Amino acid sequence: MSVTAFTNYLLYEKKYAMLTIKAYSKDLDDFQEFIALEHEGQTLQNLEYRQIRTWIVSLVEQGMSNRSINRKVSSLNSYYKFMVKIGDMESNPLAKHKALKATKKVQVPFSEEEMENVIKDLKSETDFEGIRDRLVIELFYATGVRRIELVQLKLVDLDLANKTLKVLGKRNKERIIPLIDTVVQTAKEYLELRSSLEIIKDNEFLFLTKKGVKIYETLVYRIINDYFSRASTKVKRSPHILRHSFATHLLSQGANMNAVKELLGHSSLAATQVYTHNSINELKKVYSNAHPRSKKRE
């Protein structure tokens, strides 16, 4: 019952997305399974830190990455904080836990040249799926939306007259993103082909498969991976890298960080600052090439 109360809290009060809530639930289920086997008779509410630590050690021994372990522990920590908040527990057994050291993943964005090459390649597409894929990629690069946000876009969210897109982000927070002319034109082409589909089952959603049903996340990933594998040698080719490219390219061209924060739907600048690494590297190049004292004088 306490886990159900916790997930309801995440859904109705914290306004978390269903996918996020499912991840929390899965982490708690896995932990309870471990406790049932290793600490028979114990419940989530009467565990001590040393018992929780045996679970953490077991995850390490299984070869799980420190990053994944920290995420699982974070789910459990959020649960315990909730239990303390509602008065069902006096203290959080994870209150003094320190996260495991995790190597920081470097997300390498696509270069502007790679982006241009993919979009140029897409311009040769003329059928429904080809135009749809072009709009998917152009929207990712022109708006920085998340994959789940793109999948959930509805027809009414696209306002071609005002050249804007309404996006429902994390915690049901809405944001309006302006659209550039090339995206508007591709959207018009796509909508014309979309209206010609023989069967449309999920008419309220913007992006559909050729069978007329709402596009799904694995298909979106496959679209990005397929097209960018032709133009990029980068190991990771995903919708998130496109979002990363959007932010990095804006910042490298001098965009205001607060504006980029709003476009991305971040709740704090700290999240947006992750994308400044590559733009700072670009600034260093410009600085090194332009500053009169940056080169040794003979």
Side-chain angles (χ1 to χ4, degrees):
M1 182 62 71
S2 61
V3 173
T4 302
F6 174 60
T7 54
N8 285 338
Y9 165 73
L10 296 180
L11 178 63
Y12 298 112
E13 290 194 40
K14 301 293 284 184
K15 307 291 185 185
Y16 282 4
M18 282 307 301
L19 284 176
T20 305
I21 294 170
K22 283 179 181 177
Y24 273 84
S25 297
K26 175 72 167 55
D27 292 337
L28 289 175
D29 286 345
D30 289 347
F31 178 63
Q32 287 188 104
E33 222 174 271
F34 174 83
I35 293 304
L37 288 171
E38 300 294 324
H39 303 286
E40 192 177 350
Q42 297 280 59
T43 65
L44 289 179
Q45 288 94 327
N46 61 14
L47 289 172
E48 295 178 6
Y49 177 68
R50 61 182 176 81
Q51 295 165 314
I52 298 173
R53 186 166 174 76
T54 61
W55 171 60
I56 297 171
V57 170
S58 76
L59 296 177
V60 172
E61 290 174 345
Q62 289 171 36
M64 186 175 289
S65 70
N66 286 3
R67 185 178 296 274
S68 296
I69 294 170
N70 286 340
R71 183 188 57 76
K72 284 182 169 291
V73 175
S74 177
S75 297
L76 187 59
N77 190 36
S78 295
Y79 167 78
Y80 281 131
K81 283 181 178 178
F82 168 74
M83 295 302 286
V84 171
K85 181 178 180 179
I86 64 173
D88 279 11
M89 290 180 66
E90 289 185 7
S91 61
N92 176 0
L94 281 168
K96 294 183 179 180
H97 172 75
K98 290 184 179 180
L100 303 179
K101 286 186 179 180
T103 53
K104 194 173 182 179
K105 282 187 179 179
V106 177
Q107 301 281 3
V108 182
F110 298 118
S111 67
E112 291 182 35
E113 184 181 1
E114 286 172 329
M115 290 305 312
E116 287 303 317
N117 287 339
V118 169
I119 291 170
K120 185 179 177 181
D121 185 31
L122 280 160
K123 284 181 179 176
S124 63
E125 302 284 358
T126 56
D127 64 352
F128 169 75
E129 289 186 322
I131 300 298
R132 179 203 63 197
D133 295 352
R134 191 207 308 173
L135 182 58
V136 164
I137 289 172
E138 286 187 0
L139 262 186
F140 271 132
Y141 186 48
T143 65
V145 294
R146 301 175 178 92
R147 177 168 50 169
I148 185 63
E149 292 172 344
L150 181 129
V151 167
Q152 297 295 343
L153 285 175
K154 296 180 179 174
L155 274 175
V156 294
D157 296 328
L158 184 64
D159 186 346
L160 295 182
N162 291 308
K163 299 180 182 179
T164 59
L165 182 72
K166 183 171 71 174
V167 178
L168 186 64
K170 289 184 176 180
R171 303 183 189 181
N172 292 325
K173 184 181 177 183
E174 285 186 356
R175 64 188 189 277
I176 305 294
I177 304 176
L179 298 176
I180 55 179
D181 290 340
T182 52
V183 174
V184 171
Q185 183 55 43
T186 303
K188 287 178 180 177
E189 293 177 43
Y190 166 71
L191 291 175
E192 188 176 340
L193 290 171
R194 182 187 181 280
S195 65
S196 301
L197 290 174
E198 289 184 17
I199 300 172
I200 296 181
K201 296 178 181 177
D202 296 325
N203 193 46
E204 65 177 308
F205 291 98
L206 175 61
F207 286 109
L208 304 177
T209 69
K210 62 182 178 181
K211 293 181 179 178
V213 297
K214 185 178 79 165
I215 203 170
Y216 46 96
E217 288 193 59
T218 51
L219 175 56
V220 173
Y221 180 87
R222 197 157 65 238
I223 290 169
I224 303 306
N225 191 57
D226 286 351
Y227 280 100
F228 279 89
S229 65
R230 307 174 198 175
S232 175
T233 58
K234 290 182 173 62
V235 175
K236 190 162 185 182
R237 300 179 292 267
S238 69
H240 183 71
I241 297 299
L242 264 177
R243 177 172 163 86
H244 192 82
S245 304
F246 162 80
T248 301
H249 294 174
L250 278 180
L251 289 167
S252 67
Q253 293 296 325
N256 178 276
M257 193 179 292
N258 272 306
V260 176
K261 165 184 167 289
E262 293 302 317
L263 290 169
L264 290 169
H266 284 158
S267 57
S268 70
L269 269 179
T272 311
Q273 285 169 340
V274 171
Y275 301 101
T276 63
H277 174 74
N278 291 284
S279 56
I280 286 172
N281 284 342
E282 187 63 29
L283 282 173
K284 283 179 179 178
K285 282 184 192 175
V286 173
Y287 181 83
S288 179
N289 291 330
H291 197 283
R293 301 289 312 266
S294 67
K295 295 176 181 178
K296 290 181 180 179
R297 295 183 182 273
E298 294 183 4

